[in-house]
Amino acid sequence: MWLLDQWAERHICDAQRKGEFDNLPGVGAPIALDDDSHVAPELRSGYRLLKNAGCLPPELEQRKEAVELVDLLKGIRKDDPRHPEISRRLALIELKLRQAGMNTDFLHGEYCERLMHKMNEE
């Protein structure tokens, strides 16, 4: 066991002995785990930690920013002084996504609107 694992395990055992976990909400209920079968077992806890902290891989961050920029462009007129800069940022992100081998069709059409709606729900 790694030193950090040992440290965490010791603190968990101490808390269990003190009864700090006894009255937590959901005690005894099964844990609903996401399907992470596509992630190597040794990376799962790290990925879950990052996911729960709201961290996204760079490609997904760029996708999210691109969708936000498309939405912003839809809300302003072409003669707005911000329009050229936003368009340039969007083009750069789209180029980076394509260079990473990602499809950018989601930025053009109704899929973008559905995706944005889904992201706003979360």
Side-chain angles (χ1 to χ4, degrees):
M1 227 186 239
W2 291 91
L3 183 61
L4 184 60
D5 294 329
Q6 292 173 355
W7 177 83
E9 192 66 31
R10 189 181 79 227
H11 283 280
I12 291 170
C13 288
D14 289 345
Q16 284 176 325
R17 275 193 299 276
K18 293 177 186 174
E20 294 177 10
F21 298 136
D22 292 347
N23 296 318
L24 292 175
V27 68
I31 298 174
L33 298 175
D34 296 333
D35 178 24
D36 55 3
S37 57
H38 61 284
V39 178
E42 63 272 9
L43 298 176
R44 288 181 185 158
S45 61
Y47 276 33
R48 185 168 308 253
L49 179 70
L50 290 172
K51 178 184 173 196
N52 292 340
C55 296
L56 291 175
E59 299 83 20
L60 293 181
E61 260 321 318
Q62 290 174 339
R63 284 177 63 127
K64 183 178 175 184
E65 184 180 356
V67 169
E68 290 170 355
L69 290 173
V70 167
D71 192 41
L72 186 58
L73 283 173
K74 287 180 181 178
I76 62 174
R77 296 172 28 167
K78 288 192 178 202
D79 60 350
D80 187 305
R82 298 174 294 165
H83 194 278
E85 178 59 30
I86 295 170
S87 296
R88 278 193 289 269
R89 281 180 44 206
L90 178 59
L92 179 62
I93 292 172
E94 196 168 352
L95 177 64
K96 287 179 181 179
L97 290 171
R98 285 189 190 141
Q99 286 176 336
M102 296 180 75
N103 188 332
T104 59
D105 289 345
F106 65 94
L107 295 173
H108 312 285
E110 71 177 56
Y111 179 75
C112 177
E113 292 170 11
R114 290 194 319 248
L115 181 63
M116 195 62 182
H117 178 69
K118 179 74 174 169
M119 286 174 33
N120 287 334
E121 286 178 356
E122 296 175 357

